[in-house]
Amino acid sequence: MIWVEHVVSGLSFGFLLFLIASGLTLIFGLMGLLNLSHGAFYLVAAYLMLELLDLELNYWLALVVTVVVVAAVGMLIERLLLHRFVNQVLPQIVVTVGLALIMADLILARYGGHPVLPPRPPGLSGTVQIAGGYFPTIRLAMIVIGLLVAVGMWLLMSRTRVGAMVRAAVDDEAIARSVGIPVSRLFVGVFGLGIGLTALAGVLGGAFSGLSPGVDFRMLLLSVIVVVLGGLGSLKGALVASLLVGLVNQFGIVLFPTLAQFALFVPVALFMAFRPRGFFGRVGLA
Amino acid sequence: MSLLPVALSKPRVRQVAAGIVVLAVLLAVPSLLSPFHVFTAARILIFAVFAMALNLVFGFGGLPSLGHAAFFGVGGYTVAIGLTRWGWGFWTSLVVAIVLGLVVGALMGLLTIRTEGIYLLLLTLAFAQSLWALAFEQVQFTRGDNGISGITRDTIPFLSGDYYTFVLIVGLLLVGVMWLWTRSPVGRALVGARESKSRMEALGYEVWRYRVGAFALSGAVSAIAGLLLVYLQGIASPELLHWPLSAEVIVICIVGGAGTLFGPALGAVVVVGLEVYSSAYTERWNVVLGALYILTMLVLRDGLTGLPARLRRLRRARAETDAAADEPARAPEKPATGVRL
């Protein structure tokens, strides 16, 4: 039964990674932008949530406000700064690392370096007993939310007009522009969606894995791994890879704690060396 | 016709004179400045060498590695573990660091043969992070996050009292090696591959060999830089292997001018100088550093060494708009560094 509990833990962490990585991969697929400040938005959202809860705001209202505000800040940054660097690999890396440094340092200045465990959402704080195993409710909720987001993203991309426009812009930006698709507006929208999902991940993930300086870089690196494994720009790949990384991460920590991260990075590096485009990445995307 | 032989032509004389002045200033640092500033200067020198080493693959080879902290850390941990565990002296540590730097560098070069651009960047990152994870998690060897402290400079063979000058001499030797490499057919071939890989391959060059070779040389020089830094600060911690450091040397290269031999040295003066002195004034020096990263990409993409050419272009553009459109259009000047960022 202990193994089932570990599987649930790994899967819930995997779905948490999926919330972050789906935005990352979508933004890359559409704009050719690898946003290395993605992890910083995760942390910003988590701390903003704490501030709002201090104001005695209703938990769910605070969650909505956090996601909307952080997504709006992200869209503003995209519009003012990042859109200058679309499809320019190296400048983006440097600029988004710069953004991440600034955000992380400001958070450190405001909240100090102490680890914090934010409160869990009301109604999701206990454990559930199923067939002799104990499962934290929030982890089960994470799996459900992750599945909902995955289905929602799939519907959005494959069944709506906006999704069709995004797919067109991913395929051929110039042609998409020339037939009147507002590509620049799509950029802002998709960036906002990605950051919003990361903000949601920050609030929920913070509640079950805690907050401390460095969490931003850790989550970012794991999501970058997910995005790379799945194939840059592929949502399906991100889903498969995030569950895989979640499970490998969990069992790595359980089975060989002194080698857990090493055991994660080495296979990833080898895999990338022999299949750079990942599970579902397209040839010649980058 | 100039009466001077080519070797003594005007720009060459000016270059030599500038070199002598810079060297004199560098040598005078310990007798002119306070210990804190000398320490900072040594740190700048070390990062200059490190950034120049990255620049071999990044600027000259057009291969953006986000994993160079791996080599730096390998050199640093060689000293730290060798000295505290087995009492290695300077020479032993140096030889081991060079060999490990060459091997790890060649390994990274081999792994990344099939990749370019963003994939190369992410692959080198994953490679370096696996070494970081090793240093972070193998606590019995590396003492994990606390790092290995208590590294003394007793075994430095000469000038052990004046470590700055020692760093300067080692650094100049390494710069000499890198200078020779950039002027050799091997270095030229790599620049050729940066400009057009397919053309170089059609000419019969086996490009991958040059890439692996450049990574190996770059790895060895970076490892020596890491070794020098650990001797300077007396402690080795996983920070040496962590990816913010890899990002920082990339920025150092860009600020100075990637693709030029001495650009990264200039970048090291600016970035490391700013880092050290802003951290003396404010705890929030990471904000300063982040702002520098963003500003660099907004206004200084050709780097400081590319600034004159950029200003010339701007001036000419202005003059052309003033002189109206009757002049024939001129071909656009290439960016000074030739690196497409």
Side-chain angles (χ1 to χ4, degrees):
Chain A
M1 208 57 215
I2 187 86
W3 295 109
V4 181
E5 287 177 23
H6 285 315
V7 168
V8 168
S9 262
L11 283 181
S12 62
F13 191 67
F15 275 111
L16 177 67
L17 286 179
F18 175 70
L19 288 193
I20 308 170
S22 56
L24 206 58
T25 203
L26 210 56
I27 291 169
F28 183 86
L30 181 64
M31 312 160 61
L33 176 97
L34 187 68
N35 176 28
L36 293 186
S37 61
H38 223 72
F41 283 104
Y42 175 94
L43 210 52
V44 167
Y47 279 105
L48 177 61
M49 183 73 185
L50 284 180
E51 293 276 348
L52 292 176
L53 289 179
D54 272 354
L55 299 175
E56 312 259 313
L57 218 57
N58 172 282
Y59 190 93
W60 303 107
L61 181 63
L63 177 65
V64 171
V65 171
T66 302
V67 170
V68 170
V69 168
V70 174
V73 171
M75 287 157 91
L76 204 63
I77 291 178
E78 197 283 328
R79 205 53 240 163
L80 294 179
L81 185 66
L82 297 179
H83 81 102
R84 295 162 201 269
F85 302 104
V86 163
N87 285 323
Q88 304 168 32
V89 171
L90 204 65
Q92 298 161 8
I93 299 285
V94 173
V95 167
T96 52
V97 167
L99 277 175
L101 282 178
I102 293 176
M103 287 196 265
D105 205 35
L106 290 178
I107 287 175
L108 191 65
R110 175 91 171 82
Y111 301 99
H114 311 293
V116 185
L117 190 62
R120 297 186 168 188
L124 300 178
S125 53
T127 53
V128 181
Q129 191 185 358
I130 302 169
Y134 291 91
F135 304 99
T137 321
I138 187 160
R139 285 192 178 264
L140 297 176
M142 189 68 239
I143 294 177
V144 174
I145 293 170
L147 278 172
L148 287 177
V149 168
V151 171
M153 295 277 270
W154 175 70
L155 286 175
L156 177 71
M157 284 301 141
S158 64
R159 291 286 185 276
T160 66
R161 191 178 152 75
V162 173
M165 293 201 288
V166 170
R167 279 182 288 131
V170 170
D171 266 345
D172 193 327
E173 195 194 315
I175 294 291
R177 280 183 196 277
S178 69
V179 299
I181 293 174
V183 174
S184 300
R185 241 179 289 162
L186 285 184
F187 282 2
V188 180
V190 166
F191 198 82
L193 175 67
I195 298 296
L197 287 174
T198 303
L200 179 63
V203 174
L204 298 174
F208 72 79
S209 61
L211 297 177
S212 57
V215 163
D216 48 347
F217 277 156
R218 208 172 80 82
M219 295 310 280
L220 172 71
L221 268 180
L222 288 173
S223 339
V224 167
I225 286 180
V226 165
V227 169
V228 167
L229 282 182
L232 290 167
S234 161
L235 266 180
K236 185 171 56 170
L239 181 60
V240 175
S242 54
L243 299 184
L244 186 68
V245 170
L247 289 172
V248 169
N249 184 58
Q250 177 71 25
F251 282 97
I253 291 170
V254 175
L255 296 176
F256 20 81
T258 59
L259 277 172
Q261 299 206 50
F262 184 69
L264 187 61
F265 283 115
V266 171
V268 167
L270 286 175
F271 178 80
M272 282 180 69
F274 293 103
R275 194 180 162 84
R277 64 196 174 90
F279 300 150
F280 301 108
R282 293 185 311 172
V283 189
L285 185 70
Chain B
M1 279 301 285
S2 165
L3 292 176
L4 289 166
V6 179
L8 285 176
S9 64
K10 228 176 186 176
R12 178 58 59 88
V13 170
R14 217 181 294 160
Q15 274 174 11
V16 171
I20 291 172
V21 170
V22 169
L23 196 62
V25 170
L26 287 176
L27 279 170
V29 162
S31 45
L32 290 179
L33 299 175
S34 69
F36 171 70
H37 296 290
V38 176
F39 180 89
T40 306
R43 196 178 159 88
I44 289 175
L45 284 181
I46 291 166
F47 273 87
V49 170
F50 184 22
M52 287 170 86
L54 166 67
N55 196 36
L56 297 184
V57 291
F58 168 49
F60 288 94
L63 307 166
S65 156
L66 191 56
H68 257 59
F71 313 131
F72 198 67
V74 161
Y77 271 102
T78 302
V79 182
I81 296 177
L83 184 76
T84 55
R85 248 169 210 270
W86 302 299
W88 285 356
F90 175 79
W91 293 112
T92 320
S93 295
L94 182 70
V95 171
V96 174
I98 291 175
V99 170
L100 285 178
L102 281 172
V103 170
V104 180
L107 199 63
M108 194 190 275
L110 278 171
L111 270 178
T112 54
I113 283 173
R114 294 164 61 111
T115 56
E116 240 146 48
I118 191 133
Y119 290 102
L120 183 114
L121 220 129
L122 293 174
L123 176 50
T124 48
L125 172 65
F127 185 91
Q129 280 306 114
S130 55
L131 289 185
W132 170 82
L134 209 55
F136 192 78
E137 292 175 330
Q138 289 295 304
V139 178
Q140 71 270 35
F141 285 107
T142 63
R143 296 185 208 157
D145 206 17
N146 295 326
I148 302 172
S149 55
I151 291 137
T152 58
R153 295 199 284 269
D154 300 336
T155 58
I156 300 281
F158 51 97
L159 286 168
S160 55
D162 184 2
Y163 187 62
Y164 166 85
T165 309
F166 180 77
V167 169
L168 181 60
I169 291 168
V170 176
L172 287 174
L173 286 173
L174 293 172
V175 170
V177 171
M178 290 190 276
W179 181 75
L180 286 175
W181 179 87
T182 57
R183 296 177 64 90
S184 72
V186 184
R188 297 285 187 196
L190 193 71
V191 175
R194 177 191 79 196
E195 293 301 312
S196 172
K197 191 179 169 203
S198 52
R199 202 175 294 182
M200 289 303 282
E201 277 171 348
L203 285 171
Y205 287 90
E206 288 185 85
V207 168
W208 69 272
R209 288 172 192 253
Y210 294 88
R211 283 174 62 161
V212 173
F215 262 106
L217 175 64
S218 180
V221 176
S222 305
I224 299 174
L227 167 145
L228 289 174
L229 187 78
V230 165
Y231 272 122
L232 176 72
Q233 59 189 23
I235 179 168
S237 66
E239 301 289 305
L240 293 177
L241 290 154
H242 211 192
W243 69 285
L245 188 68
S246 299
E248 191 177 341
V249 270
I250 287 191
V251 174
I252 290 176
C253 282
I254 298 174
V255 167
T260 60
L261 186 64
F262 289 100
L266 204 58
V269 175
V270 175
V271 177
V272 180
L274 193 70
E275 187 186 60
V276 171
Y277 290 106
S278 70
S279 68
Y281 286 107
T282 164
E283 258 181 76
R284 300 275 72 82
W285 55 271
N286 259 330
V287 172
V288 178
L289 210 59
L292 176 75
Y293 286 16
I294 295 171
L295 277 177
T296 303
M297 291 331 303
L298 283 175
V299 297
L300 209 64
R301 231 182 269 192
D302 294 342
L304 289 170
T305 47
L307 207 54
R310 200 185 164 108
L311 290 177
R312 257 202 312 280
R313 273 205 304 281
L314 279 176
R315 235 190 344 255
R316 189 181 304 151
R318 197 171 304 150
E320 270 170 13
T321 44
D322 287 351
D326 48 79
E327 213 178 306
R330 215 186 297 257
E333 198 176 320
K334 272 185 66 173
T337 63
V339 184
R340 281 187 307 275
L341 293 180

